[in-house]
Amino acid sequence: MALANKAINLASVGSNFPSSIDKLKNSSTKAQINLRVARNSSVKAVQSSSVESDTGRWVRKRRPQNVDGDFFVDHTCIDCDTCRWMAPQVFTRVGEMSAVYKQPTSSEDRLKALQALLSCPTSSIRTEVPPPDILEAQKTFPIPVDEKKLPGVYHCGYHSEKSYGAASYLIIHPGGNILIDSPRFTEKLAKEIETMGGVRYLFLTHKDDVADHAKWATRFSCDRILHSEDVEICTADVEMKLEGNGPWSLGDDIMLVHAPGHTEGTVCLLYKPLKILFTGDHLMMTESGLSIMEMYNKYSVPKQVDSVQKLIQFDFDWIIPGHGWRIEFKDFQEKNTILEAFVREKYNQYSSSYK
């Protein structure tokens, strides 16, 4: 199965992920969790050294972990994982940063590498020679997530360092388009979105991934939505502040689900017609398995586990997170089996927190 701009299909691909995924596969429910990540064991991990010029300013340097060739990752990489799920045929993780393990050999792989280059929040992906096709790559954003299965849902690209490289998505909706979390502002992307009908709502899943929300709000005169518990000085003027525990609705087909844990005001967006749950930083698939990113928790890990359990009641087949790989479940039953096993594992892990 193709991984770049599509989901990890939990029903059809052999697994190479360890950790919680292996545990879930071996559980009594025998849930089939199937994942594949591009690997290249021949890439040797070498600790990257920082480089400073005589002027005292940091100089970008090609990491030695990259294979020879045009594309490379420099030492400013923040290990956000963007390039590895956008173009897994080209990028992998070596020495706690990304690196090129295989130069693109087809036009499709080259396009995906260029899309990753443009989406990198720190501009850490570079080429030895200025790419003559970069303008054509820019025109591909926003990128359809899956034109057949998820029509009208797009990945915006242009990830922002302000949100540690979080992905932003656009839903084309008859009641007004919805931008989910903020990409890095660029007029090129704004013009493309404008041709698609602009933005009616900018839904912010939580306070970490607001990035250039003010610029987008000004550009499209859209209403921003954020839970009041996550409002900070930079978001004090958002137009719609959610109060309480919800759920809330945007029309008949969109539900906003309060999922406190990662932050107190984290909210997921459930797009009912296509059965997609946009989770922000609440729940995701990483190269190590299904994850709630405990190390980055800003409120309460036990409450975050409780919030994952709450998701079991909702009908969705897709998880599209702010970070990490998208997930497609075979059906409602598989989704519940996997989430129940994951929650059970986490409750056992953090059982002392519940005493």
Side-chain angles (χ1 to χ4, degrees):
M1 168 204 135
L3 289 179
N5 290 324
K6 297 185 179 180
I8 296 170
N9 189 311
L10 297 187
S12 63
V13 184
S15 173
N16 284 333
F17 280 140
S19 187
S20 60
I21 296 304
D22 288 334
K23 295 178 182 178
L24 294 180
K25 286 181 68 176
N26 295 326
S27 69
S28 59
T29 61
K30 299 187 183 299
Q32 296 300 309
I33 302 174
N34 305 298
L35 304 157
R36 181 177 292 141
V37 172
R39 293 279 192 263
N40 189 331
S41 58
S42 66
V43 180
K44 184 178 180 181
V46 180
Q47 196 64 35
S48 176
S49 58
S50 299
V51 179
E52 192 174 1
S53 70
D54 294 337
T55 63
R57 302 179 68 178
W58 293 107
V59 177
R60 291 177 179 271
K61 181 181 179 183
R62 181 180 182 126
R63 301 187 66 223
Q65 294 89 340
N66 295 281
V67 297
D68 292 338
D70 191 27
F71 283 86
F72 66 93
V73 180
D74 69 33
H75 77 281
T76 64
C77 172
I78 58 173
D79 195 28
C80 72
D81 191 33
T82 293
C83 64
R84 302 197 295 268
W85 64 260
M86 288 189 68
Q89 308 91 333
V90 176
F91 302 96
T92 191
R93 187 173 191 262
V94 187
E96 299 183 352
M97 292 183 185
S98 293
V100 173
Y101 77 94
K102 181 181 179 182
Q103 294 292 335
T105 56
S106 68
S107 58
E108 180 182 4
D109 288 353
R110 179 175 175 82
L111 174 59
K112 290 175 180 176
L114 287 172
Q115 289 171 334
L117 180 154
L118 290 166
S119 297
C120 177
T122 51
S123 300
S124 300
I125 301 172
R126 307 175 76 80
T127 56
E128 294 289 354
V129 178
D133 45 353
I134 191 68
L135 293 180
E136 292 303 311
Q138 289 176 341
K139 294 177 183 178
T140 63
F141 292 100
I143 307 169
V145 172
D146 190 313
E147 290 183 286
K148 293 183 178 179
K149 295 181 178 179
L150 303 178
V153 179
Y154 297 83
H155 169 217
C156 294
Y158 293 99
H159 297 196
S160 173
E161 186 176 8
K162 298 174 186 176
S163 56
Y164 201 74
S168 171
Y169 292 90
L170 179 70
I171 298 175
I172 304 302
H173 193 276
N177 297 342
I178 302 165
L179 185 61
I180 299 173
D181 285 328
S182 170
R184 180 180 1 127
F185 185 83
T186 167
E187 185 58 27
K188 291 184 178 66
L189 178 61
K191 286 181 178 178
E192 292 297 328
I193 292 176
E194 189 170 40
T195 66
M196 302 166 75
V199 178
R200 173 69 182 88
Y201 297 105
L202 171 48
F203 171 70
L204 302 168
T205 58
H206 65 297
K207 62 186 178 183
D208 295 347
D209 293 351
V210 300
D212 291 335
H213 70 97
K215 293 180 180 180
W216 288 104
T218 299
R219 178 64 171 79
F220 287 109
S221 299
C222 58
D223 289 336
R224 292 161 292 176
I225 304 171
L226 178 66
H227 197 284
S228 60
E229 294 292 351
D230 269 21
V231 171
E232 298 181 322
I233 293 175
C234 68
T235 50
D237 62 344
V238 298
E239 291 74 18
M240 301 173 67
K241 299 180 178 70
L242 303 175
E243 302 284 351
N245 299 321
W248 309 267
S249 296
L250 279 179
D252 297 329
D253 56 0
I254 292 176
M255 179 183 292
L256 307 180
V257 181
H258 191 207
H262 176 71
T263 64
E264 194 168 357
T266 291
V267 178
C268 300
L269 186 149
L270 177 62
Y271 186 36
K272 297 178 184 178
L274 297 179
K275 297 186 177 182
I276 308 171
L277 187 72
F278 294 89
T279 56
D281 287 1
H282 175 54
L283 181 66
M284 66 205 67
M285 186 66 74
T286 70
E287 292 162 316
S288 299
L290 201 62
S291 174
I292 55 174
M293 292 203 308
E294 290 98 322
M295 67 183 294
Y296 299 112
N297 185 279
K298 296 186 176 181
Y299 177 51
S300 168
V301 171
K303 288 186 183 298
Q304 190 168 358
V305 177
D306 288 341
S307 293
V308 174
Q309 184 180 43
K310 185 169 71 173
L311 298 179
I312 293 172
Q313 65 183 295
F314 298 107
D315 186 12
F316 58 89
D317 296 335
W318 292 74
I319 289 177
I320 298 186
H323 299 272
W325 305 75
R326 305 167 192 141
I327 307 169
E328 180 187 9
F329 300 101
K330 181 176 65 177
D331 52 31
F332 181 81
Q333 181 178 357
E334 182 185 61
K335 180 266 293 184
N336 281 1
T337 298
I338 291 169
L339 292 188
E340 286 168 357
F342 179 75
V343 168
R344 187 163 56 247
E345 175 192 341
K346 291 301 177 182
Y347 277 154
N348 290 336
Q349 182 178 350
Y350 298 109
S351 58
S352 60
S353 300
Y354 289 85
K355 294 180 180 179

